[in-house]
Amino acid sequence: MAACEKKKALAGLKVVDLTSALSGPFCTMFFGDYGADVIKIEPVDGEQCRAWGPFYQDGESGFFAYANRNKRGATLNLKSEKGLQMFYDLVKDADILCENYKGGVTEKLKIDYETIRKINPQIIYVSGSGFGQNSPMSHRPCYDIVAQAMGGMLNLTGFQDSAPVKVGPSVADHASGIYQAVGALIALYHREKTGEGQLVDVSMVDTIFSMLETAIPNYVMDGVISQRNGNVDPSIAPFDVYECKDGYIAMGVGNDRLWDKFCKVMGRDDLLEDPRFMTNELRVKNYIPALQNLIRDWTRQFTKAELEEMMDEAKIPCGPVLNMKEAIEHPHIKARNMMVHCQHPTSGDQYFQGVVAKLSETPGTVDFAAPTLGQHNCEVWGITEEEAAKLHEEGII
């Protein structure tokens, strides 16, 4: 995608990215999308998700490409004295440093916040980890499925008669990446006013816990431990996924006004006088099995498109359940530029997700693909190709 003619909101911002896997790279991707100079520093043998598929024909990881566009890439051995000094020189004028090591690792590597702030007092130091910096479990490694389990989400996902099921995509990684980015921008705003840098500490488990909605007040207020409830919402009814002739459709009837419209669409005005369904509270209480089965029997008579047209005309929230091909090709995704092309130096054309937050004056864009391993070593470290080759032989880069 060609670079945008308008100014970039974060142009001039220098971000040093030590992150790996998904949550940290997803955070720093935002900065790159809006014009920051994101310098991704990897171990000499590359970060872990370069080994995660799917792979392009040249062996480059599609997973890595997904979260590392708009970044320059360099390698460095932080365990070497020379490499550590090169890193210190790099962060002297950095605005943001992002890392997602488990607790205790940055201290061992001598790149923790207290060390870095002595080199650069104005640094915004973003630490993303499974359990945060002050938990009795800070030392533990963590992946998304662990965060979903310990944050309380996994127990809420799935059907009553099934084992717990994780949410499909890595929501702990993605959401904590967003929290890291938002935290960093809040800290930058504070720095603009005071000149003061600070530590931003985000935990994946905290992130999941913050997303539990009514499950928390259900317990705190009523002592009720929420359980798996499939696609049914515990506070709204009807709010479910229904079978059609050719698949499934999701619908949400969130208030009495919409319930009135929904009954008319179904041709069931009699339900408006049914004492079991006259308020949302009653509909939630009596949804299973009576109301659920009634709606299921009705939706099975129609295709997804027919139901979508009826619901849209009545202004009732609904949407067909789409597979990946259908979602990518959907008119909404196309209109919002949510899939973009980008040229990779070895893989060629790459096609992946676009920029979500559309800014009118300083829009984000996908300008270049994820770097190959060590692609920008010379320009990041300010060295010649001969010097880079020597440092590589020494195991420094």
Side-chain angles (χ1 to χ4, degrees), residues 70 87 110 188 281 339:
N70 288 339
F87 181 75
K110 299 178 183 178
L188 278 173
E281 184 178 2
M339 289 295 294

Side-chain angles (χ1 to χ4, degrees), residues 65-279:
Y66 164 74
N68 288 287
R69 76 233 188 154
N70 288 339
K71 303 176 187 180
R72 293 194 289 160
T75 55
L76 189 65
N77 179 2
L78 285 167
K79 295 179 181 179
S80 68
E81 185 176 340
K82 188 170 185 177
L84 188 59
Q85 187 56 54
M86 289 170 65
F87 181 75
Y88 289 161
D89 291 340
L90 184 68
V91 300
K92 282 179 181 177
D93 63 347
D95 295 289
I96 300 173
L97 187 156
C98 297
E99 58 85 9
N100 61 349
Y101 294 103
K102 64 183 180 180
V105 173
T106 56
E107 287 83 359
K108 291 179 181 178
L109 292 173
K110 299 178 183 178
I111 57 169
D112 55 291
Y113 174 58
E114 293 302 324
T115 297
I116 299 301
R117 73 185 298 195
K118 292 174 184 175
I119 299 169
N120 181 351
Q122 292 191 315
I123 195 82
I124 306 300
Y125 189 109
V126 181
S127 177
S129 62
F131 300 94
Q133 297 303 301
N134 63 341
S135 164
M137 302 178 66
S138 293
H139 64 284
R140 284 197 186 184
C142 185
Y143 283 123
D144 179 85
I145 193 168
V146 176
Q148 287 196 37
M150 296 189 65
M153 183 173 285
L154 217 144
N155 190 61
L156 297 174
T157 310
F159 292 89
Q160 290 180 356
D161 58 352
S162 74
V165 178
K166 87 173 188 70
V167 177
S170 300
V171 291
D173 282 291
H174 288 90
S176 65
I178 294 169
Y179 273 133
Q180 289 168 53
V182 171
L185 295 175
I186 293 170
L188 278 173
Y189 180 72
H190 174 75
R191 193 183 73 180
E192 285 296 306
K193 295 188 296 180
T194 67
E196 181 182 33
Q198 62 182 300
L199 171 67
V200 178
D201 177 13
V202 176
S203 154
M204 291 169 66
V205 174
D206 294 357
T207 295
I208 288 295
F209 187 75
S210 75
M211 299 166 64
L212 299 185
E213 297 180 353
T214 56
I216 292 175
N218 277 348
Y219 177 72
V220 172
M221 297 170 64
D222 297 324
V224 175
I225 299 176
S226 299
Q227 299 298 322
R228 294 181 291 285
N229 209 24
N231 296 308
V232 176
D233 190 275
S235 301
I236 303 171
F239 194 102
D240 206 344
V241 173
Y242 301 97
E243 187 179 3
C244 314
K245 282 184 176 180
D246 57 349
Y248 294 87
I249 193 167
M251 294 190 293
V253 182
N255 54 53
D256 292 339
R257 177 179 55 83
L258 289 174
W259 172 244
D260 182 271
K261 291 182 177 182
F262 186 63
C263 290
K264 287 179 167 56
V265 171
M266 287 196 299
R268 292 295 305 270
D269 284 13
D270 57 298
L271 296 177
L272 295 171
E273 305 301 323
D274 192 313
R276 297 172 298 174
F277 311 135
M278 294 185 73
T279 66

